[in-house]
Amino acid sequence: QVLSFVIPVQLQSVTQRVLHRLFHTRSCLFVVLHIALQAAVYGEYTWEVFIYCWELQFPLLLLLLPYLLLAGNMGCFILCSRADPGVITKSNHASLVKIYAYDGVLFQKGIVCPTCNMEKPARSKHCSFCRMCVHRFDHHCVWVNNCIGALNAKYFFLYLFTLTAMAATIAILTAAFLIQVVLLSDMLRGRYIDDQGQEHAVEILFLIQHLFLTFPRIVFMLGFVILLTLVLGAYCCFSLYLALSNQTSNEWYKSRRSGCSHHPTPQPRDRQVVYRNIYSKGVWMNLKEIFKPPTVLERKKK
């Protein structure tokens, strides 16, 4: 709103259309960006880190580990992006509506999707990107250009885990190479003269500056993959928590947005709605549900 006073109206309109195209419609742009970033990181790792580490006699299997993780990650990426997340259609609606019970808090019986013109099964949501209702909807991932639902959640979980492992492995190998360079050069025992002509022992800051000037692309890549490892690691832990507690990102967000409490403690009705996760069946069964989604037949047996 503040920028609207200084930005021309035509530019605002163009900007809004571009942002809507990027973040509110299904697009392959982030997939291309995802592949480009991976290619850049692996190109730098291959042409510099791998070759230097090979000359320093690092174990070959350790140097090949990022490529093995990349192969597994690309397989999970393709499966996650191409697999049916659990689209609700008129043919499977009757069976999907029987799988999960309505909890009466986050999911109410009788709610009809105005776009699909069907009653929403419990734990489902209409995706505005894909314009369809998805069974056990988690979120829409722009990086795989697909919804994450009951049928492809396992592929997304493995994709996220291998992506985190890739970043961590490359970060460790790159850091090990730079440490080896410092140790072999005996730089820690060296001394340098500053601009005032005073002599100092080599400090960490000076060491980082020297490495950046000597291996600028490697140091920049190391900073990027370390940051990526921290972000992906945190998200991976969050996804594991959701899997072990049998929640989706959509349910976790909705329960907090509506002010629901996850603890079944008595609260005044006018202050807070008590929410209890009725879908949790224990840690092992919750994790198993990610890799083997329940069907109507399985629920009837229980």
Side-chain angles (χ1 to χ4, degrees), residues 125-248:
K125 186 180 183 297
H126 183 85
C127 177
S128 59
F129 290 84
C130 301
R131 299 178 181 178
M132 57 190 182
C133 286
V134 177
H135 175 52
R136 198 183 184 277
F137 178 87
D138 191 276
H139 71 287
H140 180 92
C141 180
V142 295
W143 298 105
V144 300
N145 196 29
N146 198 8
C147 286
I148 308 303
L151 302 185
N152 66 345
K154 54 182 175 292
Y155 303 133
F156 179 77
F157 188 79
L158 294 174
Y159 160 77
L160 185 60
F161 176 78
T162 52
L163 191 63
T164 306
M166 282 166 49
T169 303
I170 292 179
I172 292 173
L173 287 172
T174 305
F177 159 69
L178 294 176
I179 292 173
Q180 189 73 358
V181 169
V182 171
L183 294 177
L184 291 176
S185 63
D186 204 22
M187 196 180 304
L188 291 175
R189 298 181 181 179
R191 304 183 71 83
Y192 71 96
I193 299 176
D194 61 13
D195 297 336
Q196 286 74 33
Q198 296 181 353
E199 186 176 350
H200 301 276
V202 172
E203 302 170 347
I204 297 297
L205 183 60
F206 176 85
L207 194 61
I208 294 175
Q209 291 176 345
H210 176 76
L211 290 174
F212 184 78
L213 293 175
T214 308
F215 308 102
R217 294 194 303 271
I218 294 179
V219 174
F220 180 80
M221 182 193 71
L222 176 60
F224 175 73
V225 292
I226 287 177
L227 178 62
L228 196 62
T229 301
L230 296 175
V231 174
L232 290 174
Y235 187 46
C236 202
C237 292
F238 176 67
S239 298
L240 181 61
Y241 159 73
L242 293 179
L244 296 178
S245 59
N246 205 329
Q247 297 182 79
T248 64

Side-chain angles (χ1 to χ4, degrees), residues 38-48:
Q38 277 193 337
V41 170
Y42 269 86
E44 181 62 25
Y45 172 78
T46 301
W47 299 118
E48 295 209 45

